[in-house]
Amino acid sequence: MIEFFKTREGVTHAVDAPEPGCWINVQSPTPDERTWLIDELGVMPEFVSAAMDDDERSRTDFDDDTGQALIIADCPFIEDVHEAEDASITQYDTHPLSFLVLPEQDILVTVSLRENRTVQVFKSGRKINTNQRTRLLLLMMMHISHGYVTYLRNIERQFNSNERILRKSLRNKELIKMLGFEKSLVYFSTSLKSTEATLARISAGRVIKLYEEDRDLLDDVLIEIRQAMEMCTIHTRVLTGTMDTYGSVISNNLNSTMQILALITLIIAIPTVVFSFYGMNVELPTGFSFGNTWWVPLVLSIVGSLAMALWVKKSKLFK
């Protein structure tokens, strides 16, 4: 799908064909649309190939001959329930949004392989000026950085709610949710680091031309990205510490259970030994061979078990 937008007299409208000063949005392009980008719009083939890679990391590229620039930014999104391993767990991931800056045509192109939240926001009536390519690009980058902060706060709220449940009962479901949060934070951390490096290259002014007001906006975007990075680092440390703590709690609970089982085994071993001796097919000592002496092994078993229990208690082998 290819859409064209143009700002005239302060109002952005959809147009039927590309023209100078317009913004072209390309979503899930077909092979014919990819060919159109190369043949009709004049985009570098390697830039189109990079924009079609769903695993491409955030980076920049520049062609000296044409002056075209490629900027790829990782955008956060909530993983679709059909793609998630467990539909009950909310997980987050990132996907690339590519910006193609075409100075000769005076056009900005955005390319995404799936529906992008940032693009939808700017399409749905947000006040923009397509004639200012650099500012439009930076505004989209600002919205992407806000998305990271928003999703990180969502993760924090879900983490706190899940932790309250774990304090009451250690269940596998909640522990698996913690693993989902950890995976999401790893994806975000990796993407934020590469996005910061991309913005640092943009700030050098070689990839795209920057005006004074653009530099102020770029500084704001960098501040927002670094805030998201700091939040991601803090949440990761807290989550790692929490998982280690619950791992220790589970280990301690297992040790306590094993101690109880060992204590029971020691106590019931006494009656087992006594009745085993009494049940042998041999003559017992004088006075213990009559049928009315069944209480003797019973008393010995009880006394022996009590003695073992008292000895264990006094020796403090089991705490």
Side-chain angles (χ1 to χ4, degrees):
M1 179 182 68
I2 299 181
E3 301 170 296
F4 310 96
F5 301 92
K6 172 69 175 178
T7 301
R8 296 191 181 95
E9 298 179 356
V11 181
T12 303
H13 303 278
V15 294
D16 297 327
E19 56 184 88
C22 76
W23 162 38
I24 302 177
N25 176 49
V26 182
Q27 178 182 319
S28 305
T30 62
D32 291 339
E33 291 171 341
R34 299 179 191 180
T35 303
W36 179 86
L37 287 172
I38 298 172
D39 296 340
E40 300 297 329
L41 205 59
V43 181
M44 298 290 295
E46 54 268 29
F47 286 179
V48 175
S49 298
M52 296 301 109
D53 187 358
D54 196 32
D55 295 323
E56 192 74 40
R57 293 293 88 189
S58 181
R59 64 181 182 89
T60 63
D61 200 353
F62 182 79
D63 184 72
D64 293 320
D65 297 331
T66 61
Q68 295 181 10
L70 169 67
I71 300 171
I72 301 177
D74 283 331
C75 302
F77 73 100
I78 301 176
E79 197 172 56
D80 189 85
V81 293
H82 302 293
E83 299 178 359
E85 297 177 2
D86 189 344
S88 64
I89 302 174
T90 302
Q91 291 192 9
Y92 300 85
D93 203 344
T94 61
H95 70 93
L97 174 63
S98 301
F99 298 91
L100 298 168
V101 181
L102 312 178
E104 292 183 356
Q105 298 89 335
D106 191 18
I107 290 174
L108 174 68
V109 183
T110 55
V111 182
S112 58
L113 300 181
R114 63 173 70 207
E115 184 176 328
N116 187 281
R117 179 170 167 262
T118 297
V119 172
Q120 295 302 319
V121 168
F122 279 80
K123 281 170 50 180
S124 61
R126 179 164 179 166
K127 189 175 180 180
I128 58 175
N129 188 350
T130 60
N131 297 293
Q132 299 176 336
R133 297 189 309 271
T134 302
R135 188 165 188 82
L136 177 57
L137 186 154
L138 293 176
L139 285 172
M140 289 188 177
M141 293 291 287
M142 175 64 81
H143 188 271
I144 292 171
S145 63
H146 285 326
Y148 277 109
V149 174
T150 300
Y151 286 145
L152 285 169
R153 287 172 179 163
N154 290 342
I155 290 175
E156 182 183 14
R157 285 194 292 269
Q158 294 178 57
F159 170 78
N160 291 335
S161 175
N162 200 61
E163 187 181 10
R164 285 193 293 269
I165 297 174
L166 280 173
R167 288 178 181 273
K168 299 177 181 178
S169 174
L170 288 174
R171 298 187 302 179
N172 291 339
K173 182 178 179 181
E174 277 66 36
L175 290 173
I176 293 174
K177 283 184 179 180
M178 290 292 197
L179 177 61
F181 297 150
E182 188 173 14
K183 289 174 61 178
S184 300
L185 290 173
V186 169
Y187 295 148
F188 280 7
S189 177
T190 304
S191 297
L192 284 167
K193 289 178 181 177
S194 58
T195 300
E196 184 191 26
T198 298
L199 291 172
R201 292 198 63 185
I202 293 175
S203 65
R206 184 176 179 275
V207 179
I208 54 176
K209 186 176 180 180
L210 294 172
Y211 299 93
E212 190 61 33
E213 58 272 17
D214 295 332
R215 291 191 177 277
D216 293 338
L217 180 57
L218 179 58
D219 290 340
D220 293 339
V221 178
L222 276 168
I223 291 172
E224 198 73 16
I225 285 292
R226 286 164 183 163
Q227 179 188 354
M229 290 176 63
E230 187 66 24
M231 290 177 63
C232 192
T233 301
I234 293 172
H235 294 337
T236 301
R237 290 177 180 174
V238 171
L239 179 59
T240 301
T242 302
M243 292 295 287
D244 290 343
T245 301
Y246 281 118
S248 300
V249 170
I250 293 172
S251 179
N252 289 337
N253 291 342
L254 178 61
N255 290 337
S256 299
T257 302
M258 295 302 295
Q259 287 181 357
I260 293 173
L261 292 176
L263 176 60
I264 294 173
T265 302
L266 284 174
I267 293 175
I268 66 176
I270 303 300
T272 302
V273 171
V274 173
F275 280 100
S276 296
F277 278 115
Y278 189 77
M280 292 182 187
N281 191 19
V282 295
E283 291 186 2
L284 296 175
T286 304
F288 293 95
S289 58
F290 300 100
N292 60 354
T293 58
W294 56 268
W295 54 271
V296 174
L298 180 61
V299 171
L300 291 175
S301 299
I302 295 174
V303 172
S305 297
L306 290 174
M308 176 62 72
L310 290 173
W311 176 78
V312 169
K313 184 177 180 181
K314 290 183 177 180
S315 62
K316 298 182 180 181
L317 293 177
F318 300 93
K319 298 179 181 180

